[in-house]
PDB file of all heavy atoms in Angstrom:
ATOM      1  N   THR A 254      30.993  25.954 -55.551  1.00 92.00           N
ATOM      2  CA  THR A 254      31.490  27.255 -56.011  1.00 92.00           C
ATOM      3  C   THR A 254      32.404  27.837 -54.941  1.00 92.00           C
ATOM      4  O   THR A 254      32.354  27.456 -53.771  1.00 92.00           O
ATOM      5  CB  THR A 254      30.323  28.233 -56.286  1.00 92.00           C
ATOM      6  OG1 THR A 254      29.471  28.295 -55.125  1.00 92.00           O
ATOM      7  CG2 THR A 254      29.494  27.769 -57.477  1.00 92.00           C
ATOM      8  N   ASN A 255      33.230  28.793 -55.369  1.00 94.00           N
ATOM      9  CA  ASN A 255      34.219  29.359 -54.456  1.00 94.00           C
ATOM     10  C   ASN A 255      33.558  30.319 -53.457  1.00 94.00           C
ATOM     11  O   ASN A 255      32.762  31.176 -53.833  1.00 94.00           O
ATOM     12  CB  ASN A 255      35.287  30.106 -55.258  1.00 94.00           C
ATOM     13  CG  ASN A 255      36.431  30.561 -54.374  1.00 94.00           C
ATOM     14  OD1 ASN A 255      36.981  29.773 -53.623  1.00 94.00           O
ATOM     15  ND2 ASN A 255      36.781  31.828 -54.478  1.00 94.00           N
ATOM     16  N   HIS A 256      33.899  30.147 -52.137  1.00 94.00           N
ATOM     17  CA  HIS A 256      33.339  31.004 -51.088  1.00 94.00           C
ATOM     18  C   HIS A 256      34.386  31.279 -50.025  1.00 94.00           C
ATOM     19  O   HIS A 256      35.318  30.482 -49.821  1.00 94.00           O
ATOM     20  CB  HIS A 256      32.123  30.338 -50.427  1.00 94.00           C
ATOM     21  CG  HIS A 256      30.930  30.235 -51.324  1.00 94.00           C
ATOM     22  ND1 HIS A 256      30.057  31.271 -51.513  1.00 94.00           N
ATOM     23  CD2 HIS A 256      30.481  29.210 -52.086  1.00 94.00           C
ATOM     24  CE1 HIS A 256      29.100  30.894 -52.350  1.00 94.00           C
ATOM     25  NE2 HIS A 256      29.338  29.642 -52.712  1.00 94.00           N
ATOM     26  N   VAL A 287      40.584  32.740 -45.945  1.00 93.00           N
ATOM     27  CA  VAL A 287      40.700  31.479 -46.684  1.00 93.00           C
ATOM     28  C   VAL A 287      39.450  31.210 -47.510  1.00 93.00           C
ATOM     29  O   VAL A 287      38.334  31.583 -47.116  1.00 93.00           O
ATOM     30  CB  VAL A 287      40.973  30.296 -45.740  1.00 93.00           C
ATOM     31  CG1 VAL A 287      42.333  30.411 -45.110  1.00 93.00           C
ATOM     32  CG2 VAL A 287      39.890  30.185 -44.672  1.00 93.00           C
ATOM     33  N   GLU A 288      39.636  30.567 -48.648  1.00 93.00           N
ATOM     34  CA  GLU A 288      38.528  30.260 -49.543  1.00 93.00           C
ATOM     35  C   GLU A 288      38.550  28.783 -49.909  1.00 93.00           C
ATOM     36  O   GLU A 288      39.612  28.150 -49.964  1.00 93.00           O
ATOM     37  CB  GLU A 288      38.630  31.107 -50.822  1.00 93.00           C
ATOM     38  CG  GLU A 288      38.513  32.600 -50.563  1.00 93.00           C
ATOM     39  CD  GLU A 288      38.685  33.412 -51.830  1.00 93.00           C
ATOM     40  OE1 GLU A 288      38.946  32.802 -52.891  1.00 93.00           O
ATOM     41  OE2 GLU A 288      38.577  34.658 -51.754  1.00 93.00           O
ATOM     42  N   ALA A 289      37.350  28.252 -50.178  1.00 94.00           N
ATOM     43  CA  ALA A 289      37.223  26.844 -50.557  1.00 94.00           C
ATOM     44  C   ALA A 289      36.026  26.673 -51.469  1.00 94.00           C
ATOM     45  O   ALA A 289      35.133  27.531 -51.516  1.00 94.00           O
ATOM     46  CB  ALA A 289      37.082  25.956 -49.316  1.00 94.00           C
ATOM     47  N   MET A 290      35.995  25.556 -52.187  1.00 93.00           N
ATOM     48  CA  MET A 290      34.866  25.227 -53.051  1.00 93.00           C
ATOM     49  C   MET A 290      33.766  24.609 -52.185  1.00 93.00           C
ATOM     50  O   MET A 290      33.970  23.541 -51.589  1.00 93.00           O
ATOM     51  CB  MET A 290      35.305  24.255 -54.140  1.00 93.00           C
ATOM     52  CG  MET A 290      36.392  24.794 -55.051  1.00 93.00           C
ATOM     53  SD  MET A 290      35.853  26.260 -55.985  1.00 93.00           S
ATOM     54  CE  MET A 290      34.685  25.512 -57.123  1.00 93.00           C
ATOM     55  N   GLU A 323      44.851  27.604 -41.685  1.00 92.00           N
ATOM     56  CA  GLU A 323      45.244  27.075 -42.989  1.00 92.00           C
ATOM     57  C   GLU A 323      46.641  26.488 -42.919  1.00 92.00           C
ATOM     58  O   GLU A 323      47.547  27.044 -42.296  1.00 92.00           O
ATOM     59  CB  GLU A 323      45.204  28.180 -44.049  1.00 92.00           C
ATOM     60  CG  GLU A 323      45.486  27.664 -45.451  1.00 92.00           C
ATOM     61  CD  GLU A 323      45.372  28.747 -46.509  1.00 92.00           C
ATOM     62  OE1 GLU A 323      45.504  29.940 -46.144  1.00 92.00           O
ATOM     63  OE2 GLU A 323      45.162  28.424 -47.679  1.00 92.00           O
ATOM     64  N   GLU A 328      48.118  23.151 -48.609  1.00 90.00           N
ATOM     65  CA  GLU A 328      46.968  23.840 -49.210  1.00 90.00           C
ATOM     66  C   GLU A 328      45.652  23.278 -48.657  1.00 90.00           C
ATOM     67  O   GLU A 328      44.740  22.930 -49.402  1.00 90.00           O
ATOM     68  CB  GLU A 328      47.016  23.734 -50.737  1.00 90.00           C
ATOM     69  CG  GLU A 328      48.225  24.425 -51.343  1.00 90.00           C
ATOM     70  CD  GLU A 328      48.231  24.384 -52.856  1.00 90.00           C
ATOM     71  OE1 GLU A 328      47.472  23.569 -53.429  1.00 90.00           O
ATOM     72  OE2 GLU A 328      48.994  25.155 -53.467  1.00 90.00           O
ATOM     73  N   ILE A 330      42.545  23.646 -45.416  1.00 95.00           N
ATOM     74  CA  ILE A 330      41.889  24.503 -44.426  1.00 95.00           C
ATOM     75  C   ILE A 330      41.413  23.626 -43.275  1.00 95.00           C
ATOM     76  O   ILE A 330      40.769  22.595 -43.497  1.00 95.00           O
ATOM     77  CB  ILE A 330      40.696  25.247 -45.047  1.00 95.00           C
ATOM     78  CG1 ILE A 330      41.156  26.132 -46.209  1.00 95.00           C
ATOM     79  CG2 ILE A 330      39.963  26.076 -43.997  1.00 95.00           C
ATOM     80  CD1 ILE A 330      40.019  26.698 -47.024  1.00 95.00           C
ATOM     81  N   LYS A 397      40.092  21.300 -48.922  1.00 93.00           N
ATOM     82  CA  LYS A 397      41.156  21.797 -49.806  1.00 93.00           C
ATOM     83  C   LYS A 397      40.990  23.308 -49.996  1.00 93.00           C
ATOM     84  O   LYS A 397      39.897  23.796 -50.286  1.00 93.00           O
ATOM     85  CB  LYS A 397      41.086  21.102 -51.168  1.00 93.00           C
ATOM     86  CG  LYS A 397      41.425  19.634 -51.123  1.00 93.00           C
ATOM     87  CD  LYS A 397      42.849  19.373 -50.675  1.00 93.00           C
ATOM     88  CE  LYS A 397      43.875  19.870 -51.668  1.00 93.00           C
ATOM     89  NZ  LYS A 397      45.263  19.565 -51.250  1.00 93.00           N
ATOM     90  N   SER A 398      42.076  24.029 -49.812  1.00 91.00           N
ATOM     91  CA  SER A 398      42.045  25.474 -49.985  1.00 91.00           C
ATOM     92  C   SER A 398      41.948  25.829 -51.463  1.00 91.00           C
ATOM     93  O   SER A 398      42.539  25.158 -52.317  1.00 91.00           O
ATOM     94  CB  SER A 398      43.297  26.105 -49.384  1.00 91.00           C
ATOM     95  OG  SER A 398      43.340  27.491 -49.667  1.00 91.00           O
ATOM     96  N   ASN A 399      41.191  26.858 -51.752  1.00 85.00           N
ATOM     97  CA  ASN A 399      41.075  27.312 -53.134  1.00 85.00           C
ATOM     98  C   ASN A 399      42.036  28.449 -53.444  1.00 85.00           C
ATOM     99  O   ASN A 399      42.012  29.002 -54.542  1.00 85.00           O
ATOM    100  CB  ASN A 399      39.634  27.755 -53.423  1.00 85.00           C
ATOM    101  CG  ASN A 399      39.277  27.610 -54.884  1.00 85.00           C
ATOM    102  OD1 ASN A 399      39.705  26.657 -55.524  1.00 85.00           O
ATOM    103  ND2 ASN A 399      38.509  28.547 -55.426  1.00 85.00           N
ATOM    104  N   LEU A 400      42.864  28.794 -52.479  1.00 77.00           N
ATOM    105  CA  LEU A 400      43.893  29.816 -52.700  1.00 77.00           C
ATOM    106  C   LEU A 400      45.197  29.137 -53.049  1.00 77.00           C
ATOM    107  O   LEU A 400      45.560  28.108 -52.465  1.00 77.00           O
ATOM    108  CB  LEU A 400      44.073  30.675 -51.438  1.00 77.00           C
ATOM    109  CG  LEU A 400      42.870  31.536 -51.019  1.00 77.00           C
ATOM    110  CD1 LEU A 400      43.205  32.290 -49.741  1.00 77.00           C
ATOM    111  CD2 LEU A 400      42.496  32.520 -52.130  1.00 77.00           C
ATOM    112  N   ARG A 401      45.911  29.668 -53.995  1.00 67.00           N
ATOM    113  CA  ARG A 401      47.182  29.096 -54.408  1.00 67.00           C
ATOM    114  C   ARG A 401      48.293  30.099 -54.112  1.00 67.00           C
ATOM    115  O   ARG A 401      48.164  31.297 -54.389  1.00 67.00           O
ATOM    116  CB  ARG A 401      47.172  28.766 -55.910  1.00 67.00           C
ATOM    117  CG  ARG A 401      46.161  27.685 -56.272  1.00 67.00           C
ATOM    118  CD  ARG A 401      46.578  26.328 -55.683  1.00 67.00           C
ATOM    119  NE  ARG A 401      45.591  25.305 -56.007  1.00 67.00           N
ATOM    120  CZ  ARG A 401      44.600  24.964 -55.220  1.00 67.00           C
ATOM    121  NH1 ARG A 401      44.438  25.592 -54.048  1.00 67.00           N
ATOM    122  NH2 ARG A 401      43.754  24.008 -55.549  1.00 67.00           N
TER     123      ARG A 401
END
Side-chain angles (χ1 to χ4, degrees):
T254 53
N255 187 51
H256 291 278
V287 293
E288 297 177 357
M290 299 297 290
E323 185 177 23
E328 296 183 344
I330 300 170
K397 292 297 293 182
S398 174
N399 207 37
L400 295 179
R401 296 292 179 266

